[in-house]
Structure formats: structure tokens, C-alpha cells
């Protein structure tokens, strides 16, 4: 479903991704692990169109998307939950979600309302707080808002960057529960997550990135593969 082929990304003169190749089958949850600065965020940003690759390609369902701007990537059913959440300042919870709906494929207002209602059924706390300014929510609620915003258009591929960073254990459990629901519903997910134990339980396969290259990959529930992962991260 997702195919990343020989991906190179630069920030100015800094060469960050050095020929990343990876795949995710439809409905797979794929963990992306690696130490700080390995290039995980840059990989997700490149797939999401926020950063242009200097070489190589990204295709989703055989359509090349590596050259598209972010709003077009979004319209092709790819949702991105960035590490810093990017809640729009000055906008309410509902306006944040509605703005994401605008980026989707031209919905009628009835479809928009139905999408909002669907989100509020899943996230009752966001409904309670729908008139509040998004950035005034707690960290956990903002993360839920960022997730809600990314899934409101029912993406077929979801890119999630460190969703549990700095959050209390109860919210962390909620986020993994949401990821499990999305997985059960057949959403393909790339998950960058520092909590290896929980991320292995939530994923089917994984890749380890080091200095912009894939150095390990494996099946999340296979113990020998887990050991290689822990060894690769610990070195
Ligand atoms: P972390 O877990 O710390 O978020 P990461 O694996 O996600 O790490 P990236 O954020 O992709 O890593 O960063 C990879 C490298 O690119 C790092 O060396 C970082 O300093 C550098 N980098 C990131 N963003 C920029 C930028 N906008 N301009 C220049 N260099 C950058």
C-alpha cells in the first residue's frame, strides 16, 4: 500500500535521509524506531509532503506522491499527526477539526456535520470542549485533538509522530486504545514512538532507522526480532 523507495531528504546542505526503503501493506501498523536525531520525523514529514525529497519516491496504492504539496497529500487520504501537534492557535476545537475537513475531498455540509458527529461520538471530551480554544486544552486533550483532526477525513494511511511524548500514563493508554481501534478498522499506520514495549504490542512490523538509513527490520511479536530491535537501539 505504502512504498518508500530510495528516499533522500536534505535540509539545505544537511543530508538527513540516505536512501530509505520501506513498505507497509494495507491495514498494517508499522513501527518506526531509532534514537533521537535518526531521521524518523523527517521521514514522516517527507511522506506527508511537508519536506521535499531530493531523490527517490513515495507511492501510496501505486500512485507517486513524493512530489505533491501537503494539502494534495492530505486529499489522497493520508493523515499526519505531527510531533508538535500544530493545533491552530486562536481557533476553537471545532474550528480546528472543521479546517481539516476543508482539506478533505469537497464534502457537502451534511457530510461535514456527520463527520464532526462521528468524531464527537468517539471523543466526547472534545465535544464538551468544542467551543474552547484548542491550544488552551491539556496536553493529552491537544493530542486527542491532533489525532481527531487527522482521522476526521477517514485516511487510508495515517502517519503518527510520537503521540505519547510527555503525557500521563492514563492518556497514553487512551492513545494506544485509539491506535488499536484504527488498526482493527483496517487503517494503515506508520507509528514513530519511543515507548518500544507499547509500540511493539500495537504494531505488526517495525523498522529501525539510524543516521537516515534503515538498519534493522522485523516482525513486532517475534521475540528474536524484538531482541535485535533492543540491541540496535541500545548500541
Ligand atoms: P527525535 O526523536 O529527536 O525527534 P528524529 O529521529 O525524529 O529525532 P529528525 O527530527 O528527523 O530525527 O532529525 C534528523 C536530523 O535532522 C537531526 O540531526 C536534526 O538535527 C536534523 N534536522 C531536523 N530538522 C531540521 C531542520 N529544519 N533543519 C536542519 N536540520 C534539521
Amino acid at each position: 500500500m505504502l512504498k518508500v523507495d530510495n528516499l533522500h531528504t536534505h535540509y539545505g546542505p544537511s543530508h538527513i535521509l540516505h536512501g530509505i526503503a520501506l513498505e507497509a501493506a494495507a491495514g498494517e501498523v508499522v513501527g518506526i524506531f531509532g534514537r533521537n536525531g535518526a531521521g524518523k520525523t523527517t521521514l514522516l514529514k517527507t511522506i506527508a509532503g511537508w519536506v521535499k525529497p531530493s531523490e527517490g519516491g513515495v507511492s501510496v496504492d501505486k500512485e507517486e506522491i513524493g512530489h505533491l504539496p501537503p494539502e494534495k497529500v492530505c486529499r489522497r487520504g493520508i493523515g499526519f499527526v505531527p510531533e508538535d501537534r500544530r493545533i491552530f492557535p486562536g481557533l476553537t476545537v471545532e474550528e480546528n477539526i472543521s479546517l481539516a475537513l476543508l482539506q478533505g475531498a469537497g464534502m457537502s455540509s451534511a457530510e461535514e456535520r456527520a463527520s464532526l458527529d462521528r468524531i464527537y461520538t468517539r471523543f466526547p471530551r472534545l465535544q464538551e470542549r468544542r467551543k474552547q480554544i484548542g491550544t488552551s486544552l491539556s496536553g493529552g486533550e491537544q493530542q486527542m485533538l491532533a489525532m481527531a483532526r487527522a482521522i476526521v477525513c477517514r485516511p487510508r494511511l495515517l502517519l503518527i509522530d510520537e503521540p505519547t511524548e510527555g503525557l500521563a500514563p492514563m492518556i497514553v493508554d487512551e492513545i494506544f486504545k485509539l491506535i488499536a481501534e484504527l488498526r482493527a478498522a483496517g487503517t494503515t499506520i506508520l507509528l514513530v514512538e519511543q515507548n518500544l514495549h507499547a509500540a511493539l504490542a500495537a504494531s505488526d512490523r517495525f523498522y529501525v532507522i539510524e543516521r537516515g538509513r534503515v538498519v534493522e527490520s522485523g516482525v513486532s511479536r517475534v521475540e528474536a526480532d524484538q531482541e535485535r530491535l533492543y540491541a540496535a537501539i541500545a548500541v
Side-chain angles (χ1 to χ4, degrees), residues 11 14 16 34-43 83 162 194:
Y11 289 121
S14 312
I16 308 295
R35 280 173 285 169
N36 289 348
K40 305 177 298 294
T41 295
T42 305
L43 171 64
E83 187 175 12
E162 302 206 8
Q194 299 285 356

Side-chain angles (χ1 to χ4, degrees), residues 132-153:
Q132 279 189 30
I133 295 296
T135 48
S136 75
L137 303 183
S138 71
E141 288 166 346
Q142 287 193 38
Q143 187 63 44
M144 284 300 179
L145 175 56
M147 302 276 285
R149 204 174 53 181
I151 62 180
V152 70
C153 296

Side-chain angles (χ1 to χ4, degrees), residues 2-5 7 46-47 53 56-60 63-67:
L2 169 70
K3 193 168 188 323
V4 173
D5 184 31
L7 199 67
T46 310
I47 297 172
V58 177
S59 67
V60 172
E63 184 190 6
E64 183 59 39
I65 61 160
H67 58 287

